[in-house]
Amino acid sequence: MKKFFTSESVCSGHPDKVCDRISDAILDEYLKQDPASRVACECAATSNFLLIMGEITSRAKVDAAEVARRVIKETGYDYFGSAFSSDNVEIVVKMNKQSPDIALGVDNSLEAKENGNDRFDKTGAGDQGLMFGYAVRETAELMPLPVILAHKMCKKLEDVRKAGELKYLKPDGKGQITVEYDNSIPKRIDTVVLSAQHDDKVSTEKLREDLKSRVIDVVLPKEYVDDNTKFYINPTGRFEVGGPEGDSGLTGRKIIVDTYGGKAPHGGGSFSGKDPTKVDRSATYMARYVAKNIVAAHLADECLIQVAYAIGVARPVSVMVNTFGTGKLSDEKLAEIVLKEFDLRPAAIIDKFNLTAPTYYNTAAYGHFGREEFAWEKTDKAKDLKKYL
């Protein structure tokens, strides 16, 4: 049965991603000085204004505004005429301490109060919530093809800009890939959309020609492109005003771009700017790790994991596995295996992936999954899981 599925990605200069990057850069600065920092940092940007807000409890001393200016410059908003530049953006910082009620549950979980013997029982979940992880035998990364290709295309657009190959390019940009499936197998790319911010000197025709040859043709696998593939490159014609100057930005608004491109559900919690006691982030990383290792172990060809938590409780309140009929064992049995083989308590997750290390800035653009540089992308548990086959 023929179906079409579309996923999008955005460049690091997209207004929402600028905010994500600033939030994660601030988080990293706190963790560098104090690995026990509790950080929930969000940003809102528009025109020449940036608001940095949130709740932070830490021994560290961080100049959040200075970090933001550095990120804005690194992202590329330092060109002449940019209203949102590191030099002239107005920045307001409104930070409070983490609620003592939240801290009570994080610092001393329900399990720790009841027995207190296990170090991983001490830390409770920072909030209630449901988190999803997903993997599918569709690409080498065990990710959905549309979102992987969208990320690679937008990353290539940024690389071309930073390398100076197309000097008229500016930081903002976004892309979209539609893949045609036949019985859940990707067969071809049906539609490609790519929009890139540019200066006023380049013609639309020249820009379209360059982006097709230097970005799209370089990234997209030729076996998926045919004579019927449609290309929409800067379909409005002009894209001169971009970034927060052209559209407001907000931390956490690109959660589908950050995860699986819409191929899997999302619990609603965003990632950027949150320290790992927030299970919105850490447990979603673990859920991806679990799902990927199940697929890598050939226990299933497709796997969705849901994990849910209660605030102040270390152990999840529920674990669900759905293999969409591809599992070698029943979903119920796989859920039992997950609980036996994977420690889903927040402190155990933090320990396993070394999540107090200041490495979050690298996650803030082009997806949190499908990139081998991240610890939760390892398939080191697959060998142990194969014993259940």
Side-chain angles (χ1 to χ4, degrees), residues 103-136:
L104 277 175
V106 176
D107 294 335
N108 194 19
S109 73
L110 179 66
E111 290 91 339
K113 294 170 187 173
E114 290 177 345
N115 54 66
N117 295 324
D118 192 320
R119 68 187 179 101
F120 290 151
D121 271 343
K122 180 175 175 55
T123 303
D127 200 354
Q128 69 175 44
L130 48 144
M131 297 82 202
F132 290 94
Y134 180 75
V136 62

Side-chain angles (χ1 to χ4, degrees), residues 17 20-21 23-25 27-28 31 39-41 130-132 251 258 266 269-288 309 349-350 353 355 357 359-365 368-369 374 376:
K17 277 292 146 199
D20 284 343
R21 284 159 62 84
S23 294
D24 273 334
L27 169 62
D28 279 350
L31 292 176
V39 180
C41 176
L130 48 144
M131 297 82 202
F132 290 94
T251 298
D258 285 342
H266 196 294
S270 62
F271 304 148
S272 290
K274 294 180 179 178
D275 77 81
T277 65
K278 279 73 171 173
V279 283
D280 281 338
R281 184 168 215 160
S282 54
T284 303
Y285 291 168
M286 175 55 86
R288 161 63 177 172
Y309 292 85
I349 297 170
I350 292 168
F353 299 142
L355 294 181
T359 57
Y360 291 103
Y361 184 61
N362 292 334
T363 69
H368 293 243
F369 308 122
F374 301 140
W376 49 90

Side-chain angles (χ1 to χ4, degrees), residues 195-255:
S195 297
Q197 186 191 7
H198 56 86
D199 65 25
D200 60 357
K201 297 178 179 63
V202 66
S203 69
T204 301
E205 292 73 21
K206 171 66 173 169
L207 179 138
R208 287 172 174 165
E209 178 185 322
D210 286 345
L211 295 188
K212 177 69 164 56
S213 63
R214 294 183 181 239
V215 177
I216 295 172
D217 290 347
V218 174
V219 167
L220 299 189
K222 291 179 173 54
E223 63 268 26
Y224 287 115
V225 180
D226 59 30
D227 292 341
N228 294 317
T229 301
K230 299 178 285 293
F231 298 93
Y232 297 99
I233 303 173
N234 278 47
T236 64
R238 307 301 290 173
F239 185 4
E240 296 177 26
V241 180
E245 185 179 0
D247 193 8
S248 61
L250 189 65
T251 298
R253 192 153 53 186
K254 284 290 177 282
I255 56 176

